[in-house]
Amino acid sequence: MAAYFPEVDKIQFEGLQSKNPLAFRHFNAAEIVEGRSMHDWLRFAVCYWHTFRGNGTDPFGAPTLNRPWDDGTDSLDNALRRVDVAFEFMTKLGVPYYCFHDRDVAPEGSTLSKSHANLDVVARKLKEAQKSSGIKLLWGTANLFSNPRFMHGAATSPNADVFAFAAAQVRKAIEVTHDLGGENYVFWGGREGYMSSLNTNMKRELDNLARFMHMANDYAKSIGFKGQFLFEPKPKEPTKHQYDFDAAACLNFIRQYGLLDVVKLNIETNHATLAGHSMMHELEYASIQGVLGSIDANTGDLLLGWDTDQFPTDIYLTTQVMLVIMKQGGLSPGGTNFDAKVRRESIDPIDLFHAHIGGMDAFARGLKIAAAIRADGILTSFVKERYSSYDSGIGRKIENGTTNMRELESYIVEKGEAAANTSGRQEMLENLINRYI
Ligand code: XUL
Ligand code: CO
């Protein structure tokens, strides 16, 4: 195999004392945390679109990134060469998984059949590369947003032919994901939303989106695909109103349309913050309702209001993310996909290593800190105590469903006033988290 990253050897865990920027200081795949390996807790994945297709363009400028292996064309040869690049990179990094959109890995042809054929050619090579490297597919998906035909959406397009085109593309993407042993399949509604209510029949669009997902599920079942379906919330960008706004909107959609047994959520940090939520809010909301399936790990920029998709380096963030994930016992068959891109100014191939090493170490560190906080138990017992008025007396009756408005009124009239409130101790708890960081 040609070496596309000749200056990089396999990235090793060297521990805290290491000053080697191309080594892990915290991520040690085999290390056991709360009875499970870091590898199993974290299930890291590299995303194909940013890492192997990103070129540094922004709305104001041309590509900036040096990618010596890439001839800048969308040819099949170039796509096949990228597979070698990707698997050399992922092998050296030591990640167990990757994720892709159909159009990231293979060029779109002049007809749908040609696109399918291109995808088959690249998928054959991906399969061989997976076999020889041991790297697996965390999830596949279809790009239903880049081509101009999807300008009004895909499953929510007012144009039924576009719906049919999208269905054909998703059918093929599920088939390929299944053939590559993909453990999940993601739906991110790139343009499943609208720009103006004046030209939009919202009910029809939502009904059609649900029909689309049911059809995808029927197809997946018919070919024996056992992977998990994931719906990825994002509030805006590219459209103004996206139907998959946040975890709550997605959950309402999947419940309303009878998809609860079929779809879980893939929660992305920068999407959470664009929705005006914290990542923790989104994770907890999904988790308590049993639909936290996987995460897209990245971060936004507090000073910018768009999806900057930066690599996560903030230990406070990763600690809080891991607290929720550990509470629900992990993410499997989901994982931690770095839906993140190097900055336009980080132009060298080696920057891809620095970016992923930083993200993996930040999560490994978050995992260890979260485990220490859990072992200490103070946080859990504080929260338990805060709600203890529901553990007995009138509180227990409320939670048991054995009381009613009249009885509650008599209870409180007799008591005269509610029991005094206790302090929320927010600052003490913030200090507690900091003590472990
Ligand atoms: C876009 C985004 C997507 C999905 C997959 O913001 O996050 O890349 O993760 O389609
Ligand atoms: Co994403």
Side-chain angles (χ1 to χ4, degrees):
M1 195 203 266
Y4 295 101
F5 303 93
E7 72 276 48
V8 183
D9 295 325
K10 175 123 175 65
I11 307 298
Q12 307 286 348
F13 169 69
E14 292 184 5
L16 266 183
Q17 74 298 333
S18 175
K19 293 212 164 58
N20 176 3
L22 291 173
F24 295 117
R25 299 171 75 246
H26 295 277
F27 179 65
N28 181 9
E31 188 175 323
I32 301 296
V33 178
E34 278 195 27
R36 194 181 297 181
S37 68
M38 280 197 178
H39 166 280
D40 284 353
W41 276 120
L42 296 166
R43 298 169 58 81
F44 286 130
V46 165
C47 85
Y48 217 94
W49 52 103
H50 288 314
T51 298
F52 307 113
R53 301 308 309 273
N55 59 16
T57 45
D58 73 8
F60 299 92
T64 55
L65 306 184
N66 300 321
R67 299 291 182 251
W69 55 79
D70 202 302
D71 63 17
T73 69
D74 205 13
S75 72
L76 200 49
D77 275 353
N78 205 16
L80 290 168
R81 191 164 46 247
R82 270 191 220 107
V83 175
D84 291 328
V85 175
F87 279 79
E88 181 187 331
F89 175 79
M90 296 189 291
T91 301
K92 287 183 167 174
L93 186 62
V95 277
Y97 289 100
Y98 72 112
C99 304
F100 65 75
H101 299 83
D102 49 1
R103 302 297 179 248
D104 306 331
V105 292
E108 179 152 20
S110 54
T111 63
L112 185 64
S113 309
K114 286 182 184 158
S115 301
H116 283 2
N118 287 345
L119 188 52
D120 284 334
V121 172
V122 180
R124 258 197 302 280
K125 182 154 182 179
L126 289 168
K127 199 168 183 175
E128 283 164 26
Q130 285 184 207
K131 213 161 140 198
S132 55
S133 65
I135 293 167
K136 296 187 279 187
L137 179 62
L138 184 66
W139 49 263
T141 188
N143 178 327
L144 305 179
F145 43 89
S146 295
N147 191 292
R149 81 174 62 84
F150 299 121
M151 64 172 72
H152 301 298
T156 64
S157 172
N159 178 345
D161 279 358
V162 172
F163 185 105
F165 202 107
Q169 217 181 304
V170 166
R171 189 210 62 72
K172 183 68 185 173
I174 293 173
E175 176 191 276
V176 168
T177 300
H178 179 49
D179 188 46
L180 294 176
E183 298 183 23
N184 305 266
Y185 183 87
V186 164
F187 293 88
W188 170 62
R191 295 181 192 276
E192 310 295 28
Y194 65 95
M195 301 301 275
S196 168
S197 51
L198 296 177
N199 63 12
T200 302
N201 184 331
M202 194 190 292
K203 166 110 174 63
R204 231 166 156 172
E205 294 201 357
L206 283 165
D207 288 353
N208 286 343
L209 181 60
R211 286 189 186 104
F212 192 90
M213 286 200 179
H214 276 291
M215 282 188 230
N217 182 47
D218 291 345
Y219 171 71
K221 274 209 225 130
S222 77
I223 61 167
F225 176 65
K226 298 270 181 312
Q228 177 175 269
F229 273 3
L230 296 164
F231 198 18
E232 183 175 318
K234 184 175 184 182
K236 54 189 162 198
E237 200 202 80
T239 67
K240 183 160 77 168
H241 301 278
Q242 301 251 145
Y243 295 130
D244 48 4
F245 190 97
D246 60 1
C250 287
L251 197 53
N252 181 59
F253 173 84
I254 61 183
R255 196 172 269 140
Q256 161 83 7
Y257 288 101
L259 287 157
L260 212 44
D261 294 336
V262 174
V263 189
K264 289 194 174 179
L265 302 184
N266 182 39
I267 305 286
E268 177 165 329
T269 320
N270 207 165
H271 297 179
T273 49
L274 278 178
H277 299 306
S278 67
M279 179 63 164
M280 283 56 69
H281 169 86
E282 288 291 86
L283 291 173
E284 186 75 15
Y285 192 88
S287 182
I288 57 173
Q289 306 193 56
V291 295
L292 173 56
S294 202
I295 65 167
D296 269 7
N298 62 15
T299 193
D301 186 315
L302 285 180
L303 303 182
L304 302 173
W306 65 89
D307 197 16
T308 60
D309 282 342
Q310 288 167 237
F311 277 84
T313 52
D314 179 352
I315 314 297
Y316 208 88
L317 169 72
T318 57
T319 298
Q320 294 192 63
V321 168
M322 290 315 299
L323 278 171
V324 184
I325 290 174
M326 293 179 89
K327 193 161 62 174
Q328 75 158 36
L331 285 175
S332 179
T336 306
N337 169 46
F338 289 111
D339 190 351
K341 58 188 175 200
V342 292
R343 297 303 85 195
R344 173 177 166 77
E345 303 80 11
S346 303
I347 58 178
D348 295 333
I350 203 162
D351 289 311
L352 292 172
F353 280 96
H354 292 305
H356 284 86
I357 290 169
M360 290 163 78
D361 256 357
F363 264 88
R365 202 164 162 199
L367 168 68
K368 289 190 287 184
I369 297 167
I373 292 170
R374 283 160 59 81
D376 167 298
I378 295 179
L379 196 58
T380 319
S381 50
F382 180 86
V383 176
K384 188 171 182 327
E385 179 57 28
R386 189 159 181 244
Y387 294 85
S388 59
S389 62
Y390 290 95
D391 293 338
S392 60
I394 196 69
R396 169 165 296 167
K397 289 185 98 177
I398 292 171
E399 291 201 344
N400 281 349
T402 53
T403 186
N404 56 49
M405 292 285 183
R406 284 190 190 284
E407 189 188 24
L408 288 167
E409 185 173 354
S410 316
Y411 163 82
I412 208 68
V413 163
E414 194 175 316
K415 198 162 180 184
E417 184 48 271
N421 281 314
T422 56
S423 170
R425 295 266 189 276
Q426 183 175 326
E427 296 77 8
M428 182 196 82
L429 296 172
E430 286 165 352
N431 297 348
L432 176 81
I433 303 283
N434 278 354
R435 197 192 304 160
Y436 291 94
I437 282 182

